[in-house]
mmCIF file of all heavy atoms in Angstrom:
data_model
loop_
_atom_site.group_PDB
_atom_site.id
_atom_site.type_symbol
_atom_site.label_atom_id
_atom_site.label_comp_id
_atom_site.label_asym_id
_atom_site.label_seq_id
_atom_site.Cartn_x
_atom_site.Cartn_y
_atom_site.Cartn_z
ATOM 1 N N ILE W 133 112.484 85.027 91.168
ATOM 2 C CA ILE W 133 113.521 84.406 92.001
ATOM 3 C C ILE W 133 114.229 85.479 92.825
ATOM 4 O O ILE W 133 114.820 86.403 92.266
ATOM 5 C CB ILE W 133 114.534 83.678 91.108
ATOM 6 C CG1 ILE W 133 113.823 82.569 90.320
ATOM 7 C CG2 ILE W 133 115.672 83.091 91.935
ATOM 8 C CD1 ILE W 133 114.697 81.888 89.289
ATOM 9 N N PRO W 134 114.216 85.383 94.151
ATOM 10 C CA PRO W 134 114.811 86.435 94.980
ATOM 11 C C PRO W 134 116.288 86.211 95.287
ATOM 12 O O PRO W 134 116.895 86.970 96.011
ATOM 13 C CB PRO W 134 113.987 86.339 96.268
ATOM 14 C CG PRO W 134 113.664 84.881 96.365
ATOM 15 C CD PRO W 134 113.493 84.396 94.946
ATOM 16 N N TYR W 135 116.893 85.155 94.743
ATOM 17 C CA TYR W 135 118.283 84.847 95.057
ATOM 18 C C TYR W 135 119.123 84.777 93.797
ATOM 19 O O TYR W 135 118.647 84.399 92.736
ATOM 20 C CB TYR W 135 118.397 83.502 95.793
ATOM 21 C CG TYR W 135 117.772 83.508 97.159
ATOM 22 C CD1 TYR W 135 116.512 82.990 97.359
ATOM 23 C CD2 TYR W 135 118.449 84.042 98.249
ATOM 24 C CE1 TYR W 135 115.917 83.005 98.609
ATOM 25 C CE2 TYR W 135 117.863 84.062 99.499
ATOM 26 C CZ TYR W 135 116.611 83.540 99.673
ATOM 27 O OH TYR W 135 116.037 83.566 100.909
ATOM 28 N N ASP W 136 120.374 85.151 93.927
ATOM 29 C CA ASP W 136 121.321 84.973 92.846
ATOM 30 C C ASP W 136 121.720 83.498 92.811
ATOM 31 O O ASP W 136 122.153 82.953 93.819
ATOM 32 C CB ASP W 136 122.551 85.865 93.080
ATOM 33 C CG ASP W 136 123.537 85.783 91.940
ATOM 34 O OD1 ASP W 136 124.236 84.759 91.851
ATOM 35 O OD2 ASP W 136 123.609 86.737 91.154
ATOM 36 N N GLN W 137 121.578 82.855 91.659
ATOM 37 C CA GLN W 137 121.799 81.420 91.577
ATOM 38 C C GLN W 137 123.187 81.044 91.052
ATOM 39 O O GLN W 137 123.438 79.884 90.743
ATOM 40 C CB GLN W 137 120.729 80.803 90.665
ATOM 41 C CG GLN W 137 119.309 81.014 91.161
ATOM 42 C CD GLN W 137 119.049 80.328 92.499
ATOM 43 O OE1 GLN W 137 119.622 79.281 92.781
ATOM 44 N NE2 GLN W 137 118.220 80.936 93.326
ATOM 45 N N SER W 138 124.084 82.015 90.927
ATOM 46 C CA SER W 138 125.417 81.686 90.432
ATOM 47 C C SER W 138 126.140 80.795 91.437
ATOM 48 O O SER W 138 126.014 80.964 92.647
ATOM 49 C CB SER W 138 126.223 82.971 90.194
ATOM 50 O OG SER W 138 126.347 83.718 91.384
ATOM 51 N N PRO W 139 126.924 79.819 90.964
ATOM 52 C CA PRO W 139 127.528 78.833 91.881
ATOM 53 C C PRO W 139 128.510 79.433 92.873
ATOM 54 O O PRO W 139 128.665 78.943 93.980
ATOM 55 C CB PRO W 139 128.231 77.866 90.916
ATOM 56 C CG PRO W 139 128.393 78.624 89.639
ATOM 57 C CD PRO W 139 127.234 79.545 89.563
ATOM 58 N N GLU W 140 129.183 80.534 92.483
ATOM 59 C CA GLU W 140 130.169 81.115 93.402
ATOM 60 C C GLU W 140 129.502 81.930 94.517
ATOM 61 O O GLU W 140 130.122 82.233 95.524
ATOM 62 C CB GLU W 140 131.161 81.986 92.627
ATOM 63 C CG GLU W 140 130.585 83.267 92.034
ATOM 64 C CD GLU W 140 129.960 83.029 90.670
ATOM 65 O OE1 GLU W 140 129.773 81.852 90.306
ATOM 66 O OE2 GLU W 140 129.683 84.030 89.970
ATOM 67 N N LEU W 141 128.250 82.313 94.334
ATOM 68 C CA LEU W 141 127.529 83.070 95.357
ATOM 69 C C LEU W 141 126.155 82.429 95.595
ATOM 70 O O LEU W 141 125.123 83.013 95.287
ATOM 71 C CB LEU W 141 127.357 84.530 94.929
ATOM 72 C CG LEU W 141 128.621 85.375 94.848
ATOM 73 C CD1 LEU W 141 128.326 86.706 94.181
ATOM 74 C CD2 LEU W 141 129.212 85.589 96.231
ATOM 75 N N PRO W 142 126.110 81.225 96.134
ATOM 76 C CA PRO W 142 124.833 80.523 96.270
ATOM 77 C C PRO W 142 123.970 81.117 97.365
ATOM 78 O O PRO W 142 124.440 81.491 98.431
ATOM 79 C CB PRO W 142 125.265 79.096 96.624
ATOM 80 C CG PRO W 142 126.575 79.276 97.330
ATOM 81 C CD PRO W 142 127.235 80.455 96.658
ATOM 82 N N GLN W 143 122.669 81.209 97.066
ATOM 83 C CA GLN W 143 121.663 81.560 98.054
ATOM 84 C C GLN W 143 121.954 82.855 98.808
ATOM 85 O O GLN W 143 121.685 82.970 100.003
ATOM 86 C CB GLN W 143 121.470 80.410 99.052
ATOM 87 C CG GLN W 143 120.993 79.119 98.405
ATOM 88 C CD GLN W 143 119.614 79.296 97.776
ATOM 89 O OE1 GLN W 143 118.642 79.580 98.458
ATOM 90 N NE2 GLN W 143 119.536 79.144 96.463
ATOM 91 N N ARG W 144 122.468 83.851 98.118
ATOM 92 C CA ARG W 144 122.657 85.164 98.743
ATOM 93 C C ARG W 144 121.569 86.076 98.222
ATOM 94 O O ARG W 144 121.393 86.231 97.018
ATOM 95 C CB ARG W 144 124.040 85.727 98.413
ATOM 96 C CG ARG W 144 125.163 84.883 99.000
ATOM 97 C CD ARG W 144 126.499 85.541 98.788
ATOM 98 N NE ARG W 144 126.571 86.790 99.524
ATOM 99 C CZ ARG W 144 127.604 87.616 99.430
ATOM 100 N NH1 ARG W 144 128.613 87.343 98.637
ATOM 101 N NH2 ARG W 144 127.599 88.743 100.115
ATOM 102 N N ARG W 145 120.848 86.674 99.129
ATOM 103 C CA ARG W 145 119.684 87.463 98.727
ATOM 104 C C ARG W 145 120.106 88.658 97.873
ATOM 105 O O ARG W 145 121.039 89.377 98.187
ATOM 106 C CB ARG W 145 118.912 87.945 99.965
ATOM 107 C CG ARG W 145 117.678 88.785 99.612
ATOM 108 C CD ARG W 145 116.774 88.987 100.800
ATOM 109 N NE ARG W 145 116.076 87.783 101.160
ATOM 110 C CZ ARG W 145 114.982 87.333 100.554
ATOM 111 N NH1 ARG W 145 114.484 88.004 99.543
ATOM 112 N NH2 ARG W 145 114.401 86.240 100.952
ATOM 113 N N LEU W 146 119.381 88.836 96.791
ATOM 114 C CA LEU W 146 119.639 89.935 95.868
ATOM 115 C C LEU W 146 118.929 91.193 96.345
ATOM 116 O O LEU W 146 117.717 91.191 96.529
ATOM 117 C CB LEU W 146 119.131 89.569 94.470
ATOM 118 C CG LEU W 146 119.344 90.585 93.348
ATOM 119 C CD1 LEU W 146 120.829 90.691 93.032
ATOM 120 C CD2 LEU W 146 118.581 90.167 92.110
ATOM 121 N N SER W 147 119.680 92.260 96.601
ATOM 122 C CA SER W 147 119.065 93.532 96.983
ATOM 123 C C SER W 147 118.750 94.312 95.720
ATOM 124 O O SER W 147 119.440 94.213 94.714
ATOM 125 C CB SER W 147 120.025 94.336 97.866
ATOM 126 O OG SER W 147 121.202 94.638 97.157
ATOM 127 N N SER W 148 117.674 95.082 95.738
ATOM 128 C CA SER W 148 117.315 95.839 94.543
ATOM 129 C C SER W 148 116.628 97.134 94.918
ATOM 130 O O SER W 148 116.018 97.250 95.975
ATOM 131 C CB SER W 148 116.398 95.015 93.634
ATOM 132 O OG SER W 148 115.152 94.800 94.251
ATOM 133 N N ALA W 149 116.753 98.096 94.056
ATOM 134 C CA ALA W 149 116.041 99.355 94.200
ATOM 135 C C ALA W 149 115.661 99.809 92.800
ATOM 136 O O ALA W 149 116.319 99.471 91.819
ATOM 137 C CB ALA W 149 116.905 100.401 94.900
ATOM 138 N N THR W 150 114.603 100.559 92.710
ATOM 139 C CA THR W 150 114.099 101.010 91.422
ATOM 140 C C THR W 150 114.012 102.526 91.422
ATOM 141 O O THR W 150 113.425 103.114 92.330
ATOM 142 C CB THR W 150 112.703 100.415 91.148
ATOM 143 O OG1 THR W 150 112.798 98.985 91.147
ATOM 144 C CG2 THR W 150 112.170 100.881 89.806
ATOM 145 N N LYS W 151 114.605 103.154 90.429
ATOM 146 C CA LYS W 151 114.492 104.601 90.259
ATOM 147 C C LYS W 151 113.332 104.889 89.335
ATOM 148 O O LYS W 151 113.257 104.351 88.223
ATOM 149 C CB LYS W 151 115.777 105.197 89.699
ATOM 150 C CG LYS W 151 115.707 106.721 89.560
ATOM 151 C CD LYS W 151 117.002 107.310 89.041
ATOM 152 C CE LYS W 151 116.901 108.832 88.912
ATOM 153 N NZ LYS W 151 118.145 109.431 88.393
ATOM 154 N N VAL W 152 112.414 105.723 89.784
ATOM 155 C CA VAL W 152 111.237 106.103 89.014
ATOM 156 C C VAL W 152 111.363 107.579 88.657
ATOM 157 O O VAL W 152 111.486 108.425 89.544
ATOM 158 C CB VAL W 152 109.941 105.859 89.813
ATOM 159 C CG1 VAL W 152 108.727 106.304 89.004
ATOM 160 C CG2 VAL W 152 109.817 104.392 90.210
ATOM 161 N N THR W 153 111.353 107.885 87.374
ATOM 162 C CA THR W 153 111.421 109.271 86.909
ATOM 163 C C THR W 153 110.090 109.649 86.278
ATOM 164 O O THR W 153 109.621 108.968 85.361
ATOM 165 C CB THR W 153 112.550 109.459 85.877
ATOM 166 O OG1 THR W 153 113.792 109.044 86.457
ATOM 167 C CG2 THR W 153 112.650 110.918 85.448
ATOM 168 N N THR W 154 109.486 110.700 86.798
ATOM 169 C CA THR W 154 108.186 111.167 86.311
ATOM 170 C C THR W 154 108.352 112.507 85.618
ATOM 171 O O THR W 154 108.910 113.444 86.188
ATOM 172 C CB THR W 154 107.190 111.311 87.478
ATOM 173 O OG1 THR W 154 107.021 110.046 88.122
ATOM 174 C CG2 THR W 154 105.840 111.808 86.989
ATOM 175 N N GLN W 155 107.890 112.596 84.377
ATOM 176 C CA GLN W 155 107.900 113.844 83.618
ATOM 177 C C GLN W 155 106.451 114.242 83.343
ATOM 178 O O GLN W 155 105.693 113.456 82.765
ATOM 179 C CB GLN W 155 108.650 113.666 82.298
ATOM 180 C CG GLN W 155 110.103 113.269 82.459
ATOM 181 C CD GLN W 155 110.684 112.752 81.154
ATOM 182 O OE1 GLN W 155 110.539 111.591 80.810
ATOM 183 N NE2 GLN W 155 111.342 113.645 80.414
#
Side-chain angles (χ1 to χ4, degrees):
I133 299 173
Y135 294 99
D136 183 285
Q137 300 296 328
S138 59
E140 68 274 12
L141 292 170
Q143 299 297 298
R144 295 186 65 185
R145 180 167 288 280
L146 182 68
S147 62
S148 67
T150 300
K151 182 178 180 181
V152 178
T153 303
T154 300
Q155 299 165 276

